[in-house]
Amino acid sequence: FIARIGGSGCRLRRVSSRTMRWISELDTPPGIAVVCPQPGFVHRRPGDPFSLIVVLTLVQDPGNLGGIIRTADYFGVDELWLGPGSADPYGPKAVRGAMGATLRMPVLMPTDLPGRIGQFRQEGAEVWAAVAHETDTEMRISPSGSRILLLGGESRGLLPDEVSLADRKVSIPGARRSESLNLAVAAGILIHSATTDRYRGA
C-alpha cells in the first residue's frame, strides 16, 4: 500500500508511534494518517435544481455528525447544512465517523441558516420539519421534488421558530417506549424514506 501511494505523487513521512498517536488522537492508531485540503465544493443556490438537502440546526456530537455525513453520502443527498454551534465536520472524530464521505458530501455552515432556508423555500423548495411529539404529522416525506429536511439537536430537537420555517412536518412511527431516537438513527431513517423510490430496483 505504501509503495502504491508513494508512486502517486504524495509526500510520505515516517513518524514515531508517539507522534502518530498525537496526530490521530487514538490510543491505537491504524498506522497511517493523511493530510489533505478541504474539498472545494460548489454549493447550491436558490432556484438551482436539487432533490434533497438535509439541515441539522444543532448537532453537537461529532460522532453523530460523521455518521450522518456517511449516511447522506450513501443515499445521494445533495448537501448538508449545519446550524451555529454544531460540531466541526472536518474535526477528527467527525471525519473518522464519515469514513471518507467527507471528501464527497458537500457540507455548508451558513451564517444565516433561517434566511437561507427561506430563500430556497421562496424558489419552490418544500421544507419538512422532523418532530417527535406533535400530532397531525406525515409519516413519510414526499418522494420527489426539491425538498429540505430539518432536524434538530440531540437534546432539544427543533425549536418552535425552527419548525415554523417548514411547510410540512414528519415523524417516525414506532412503539415509543423510548422518548426519542438517536439523532443519527433518526436522520438515517428519514433520509432513506425520502430517497427510497430513487433506488428501487437498482
Side-chain angles (χ1 to χ4, degrees), residues 52 130 141 149 151 170-172 185-195:
L52 182 65
I141 299 169
L149 171 63
L151 290 147
V170 63
S171 60
I172 300 172
V185 172
I189 292 170
L190 291 168
I191 292 170
H192 173 264
S193 170
T195 59

Side-chain angles (χ1 to χ4, degrees), residues 10-26:
C10 296
R11 293 172 56 192
L12 302 180
R13 181 177 176 184
R14 189 183 299 273
V15 299
S16 67
S17 298
R18 180 179 179 181
T19 301
M20 180 60 75
R21 285 195 299 272
W22 179 80
I23 292 170
S24 68
E25 298 185 2
L26 297 172

